[in-house]
Amino acid sequence: MRTTTKLALAAPAACAMIFAGASGAHADDGTYTMKLTDTMGNNSGSHSTATVHVMGDQLKVHITGSGFTPNSPHAQHFHGSFSENKNFTCPTSAADTNGDGQVSTEEGLPMYGDIMISLTTKGDTSPKSGLAVDRMPVADAQGNLSYDRTITLPAGAGAKLKNLHIVQHGLDANGNDKYDLDALGESTFAKSLGVSGIPQEATNPATCGTVSGASVGAEPTGGVDTGDGTTQGVEDVGILGLGALTLAGAGGAWAYRRRLGRQS
Amino acid sequence: MGITSGRGRLRTVSATAAVLALSGTGLVAYGLSKQDTATPPSPGRSTAAAESPSGAASSPPPARKGAAYAVPQGDVLDRSQPTRVRIPSLKVDTDVIDLGLQPNRRMEVPQNGKQAGWFTGSPTPGQLGPSIVAAHVTWQSKRGVFFELGAMKPGQRIEVDRQDGTTAAFQVDQVGQYPKASFPTEKVYGTVDRAELRLITCGGVYDGDSGHHLDNIVVFAHLVPSTAPHAHHTG
């Protein structure tokens, strides 16, 4: 099976001429995917997907979700710890220790940990902004929520980020498309922080999730130039191994036809 | 419930079990069945929901369920850079260097035909996500280290030694050949929910005009327990 074109003889080693240089990548850089769901069984009807891109101390967060209380702000945070190696998780309905049918923020905290970053739309992102509902993303009239922000992380936090959980808060327990005190009463969590009159609906967790997938962060463009085409007569073992193959590229089809012509 | 002891009573017990399944215990079973297995339910909660004393007993309240907690599939390893890659079926055993991105955002490739390179913008082999390792199919009139990559078959094994002294073992899922002009970027580099490995080399017809092979060969593999060479284990 001699399959190589004669052209290879004259060709320079052009499939691989670039010297390796510094890539500038940090060890903990990465692009992670988080699926945020109502693990609590809080009947929020909400779910989101978060893409988290870590580049050094820069954190790019993109969240899209649906099924949220419409026209209402949804507080959202990274929960967990930047110092402890505790295994945080998302609560199940078993975390509803007072048995009122809802896992509240306080009931969930031991599972997913304290607020580390407040995912506000502008300004401060520290835990202090945890209840800054005036700077939290607002779901549209259809209950869709989207969020994009780049945040500068505290030193060393990039390495810990993939162990954290995102929790989105705010749900509509009595189905009237808004947060109201009639549904679940007053937020005990907000009250414990000195804020009165906030409905429990506004602070109860609607979704929770952690990193469940990852991709190549800085994707290379196109294919990989791994072969300089200089092994006369032997380089098509790959084709033989694969058997029938798709030559989708026009150039590929052209070259293949030429090869067949020469062989026959 | 001791419903499995006593062979002779089996039929009676089965009937009893069937009746039970239609009554009270059925509610718990239903509740459990509606729970996602990723987050083991609390039987206590399900029972409490089923026995809700809220007067309106005309229809039982639906069992409360939480949505699935999405986590990576299978084991993932901590970050540690690869030092060596072995492919027993191809008799490949070579060291691994770092590869970055060129200014034109194409991936760098090794400057010799013998080494493999790990793309530093990808997870290390064994970490969550697709780890990218590339090597040449040909180099200066000789076979490159990944010359026979296109002949790999699903189920075959790849081992990657890592700086921390561990070896990450992978099992091949798929071998693909793609024109570079329509390289499946998302399939190769995109999000996966387990630790995976991609071995990439050139393939297909060599185009003398451009000085390139027209295709890339990509081996897709996923992390398996390194103590189970044939992916079988007892128990």
Side-chain angles (χ1 to χ4, degrees):
Chain A
M1 277 283 205
R2 303 281 104 174
T3 53
T4 295
T5 72
K6 295 279 191 245
L7 290 170
L9 287 167
C15 198
M17 292 305 288
I18 309 298
F19 280 91
S23 68
H26 294 77
D28 295 296
D29 288 1
T31 301
Y32 306 102
T33 306
M34 305 168 73
K35 294 198 179 305
L36 314 179
T37 60
D38 180 10
T39 63
M40 291 73 55
N42 277 357
N43 210 13
S44 71
S46 312
H47 54 89
S48 299
T49 300
T51 307
V52 176
H53 188 42
V54 182
M55 294 163 293
D57 64 352
Q58 293 295 298
L59 165 70
K60 209 158 95 182
V61 184
H62 172 70
I63 302 175
T64 55
S66 60
F68 287 90
T69 312
N71 304 311
S72 301
H74 292 270
Q76 52 182 24
H77 324 97
F78 273 101
H79 288 256
S81 173
F82 285 144
S83 50
E84 288 178 79
N85 277 326
K86 193 177 164 204
N87 283 326
F88 294 103
T89 185
C90 284
T92 65
S93 57
D96 176 18
T97 47
N98 70 0
D100 68 348
Q102 288 268 319
V103 175
S104 67
T105 292
E106 304 95 303
E107 287 169 336
L109 276 171
M111 312 284 291
Y112 49 65
D114 292 332
I115 294 172
M116 293 291 107
I117 297 170
S118 299
L119 292 170
T120 54
T121 54
K122 59 184 179 188
D124 177 63
T125 56
S126 77
K128 285 183 297 188
S129 294
L131 277 176
V133 287
D134 57 326
R135 290 185 288 118
M136 288 295 178
V138 176
D140 68 15
Q142 283 74 47
N144 297 317
L145 183 148
S146 73
Y147 176 79
D148 274 291
R149 190 162 180 195
T150 301
I151 292 166
T152 301
L153 292 167
K160 303 282 186 183
L161 205 81
K162 58 183 179 287
N163 301 323
L164 300 191
H165 287 71
I166 289 180
V167 180
Q168 295 176 295
H169 302 261
L171 47 82
D172 177 23
N174 58 349
N176 59 358
D177 285 351
K178 61 179 183 182
Y179 303 146
D180 56 318
L181 292 165
D182 295 341
L184 303 169
E186 189 177 4
S187 170
T188 48
F189 181 68
K191 196 159 191 174
S192 73
L193 297 176
V195 187
S196 297
I198 292 184
Q200 181 85 336
E201 283 189 320
T203 59
N204 273 5
T207 73
C208 178
T210 191
V211 168
S212 62
S215 62
V216 173
E219 282 181 359
T221 304
V224 182
D225 300 332
T226 39
D228 64 358
T230 52
T231 47
Q232 299 88 355
V234 288
E235 74 203 48
D236 277 346
V237 166
I239 289 182
L240 303 179
L242 282 169
L245 72 151
T246 317
L247 280 162
W254 173 77
Y256 191 57
R257 223 175 26 246
R258 281 210 311 181
R259 204 185 73 201
L260 288 177
R262 210 171 24 257
Q263 282 178 322
S264 58
Chain B
M1 285 190 295
I3 60 169
T4 53
S5 63
R7 207 171 251 270
R9 297 194 318 231
L10 195 56
R11 192 170 295 176
T12 312
V13 170
S14 295
T16 308
V19 171
L20 280 173
L22 290 170
S23 55
T25 27
L27 289 172
V28 177
Y30 176 75
L32 291 173
S33 74
K34 301 301 278 186
Q35 296 273 1
D36 189 90
T37 51
T39 51
S42 158
R45 284 288 324 157
S46 297
T47 306
E51 292 169 355
S52 176
S54 61
S58 53
S59 63
R64 184 174 164 196
K65 58 173 179 175
Y69 173 39
V71 292
Q73 290 182 25
D75 289 335
V76 294
L77 305 179
D78 288 338
R79 183 183 179 84
S80 180
Q81 294 208 15
T83 56
R84 207 160 179 83
V85 60
R86 285 187 301 277
I87 310 173
S89 59
L90 303 184
K91 296 187 168 55
V92 167
D93 186 349
T94 188
D95 56 332
V96 179
I97 62 168
D98 287 357
L99 303 174
L101 278 185
Q102 303 170 23
N104 66 359
R105 294 195 62 81
R106 288 183 80 82
M107 215 175 99
E108 292 171 342
V109 292
Q111 295 307 300
N112 62 69
K114 294 184 173 173
Q115 287 176 311
W118 164 67
F119 175 48
T120 55
S122 72
T124 64
Q127 274 191 299
L128 178 65
S131 182
I132 310 296
V133 172
H136 289 292
V137 65
T138 56
W139 182 262
Q140 294 177 354
S141 303
K142 291 190 178 66
R143 297 180 170 212
V145 66
F146 276 4
F147 184 78
E148 294 186 278
L149 200 68
M152 288 203 80
K153 297 276 182 291
Q156 289 180 334
R157 187 177 168 90
I158 302 160
E159 294 169 343
V160 183
D161 292 343
R162 312 186 331 146
Q163 264 174 8
D164 65 2
T166 61
T167 295
F170 297 85
Q171 182 178 309
V172 175
D173 299 308
Q174 189 189 349
V175 183
Q177 180 158 347
Y178 311 99
K180 287 180 186 174
S182 54
F183 189 78
T185 302
E186 180 61 27
K187 183 176 169 70
V188 176
Y189 301 129
T191 303
V192 291
D193 62 358
R194 58 182 179 171
E196 298 197 4
L197 180 69
R198 313 274 183 258
L199 302 182
I200 304 179
T201 194
C202 278
V205 173
Y206 179 74
D207 178 0
D209 294 336
S210 74
H212 290 278
H213 290 263
L214 292 170
D215 294 350
N216 274 130
I217 288 171
V218 183
V219 170
F220 299 83
H222 71 276
L223 186 72
V224 293
S226 58
T227 50
H230 303 293
H232 292 300
H233 57 88
T234 54

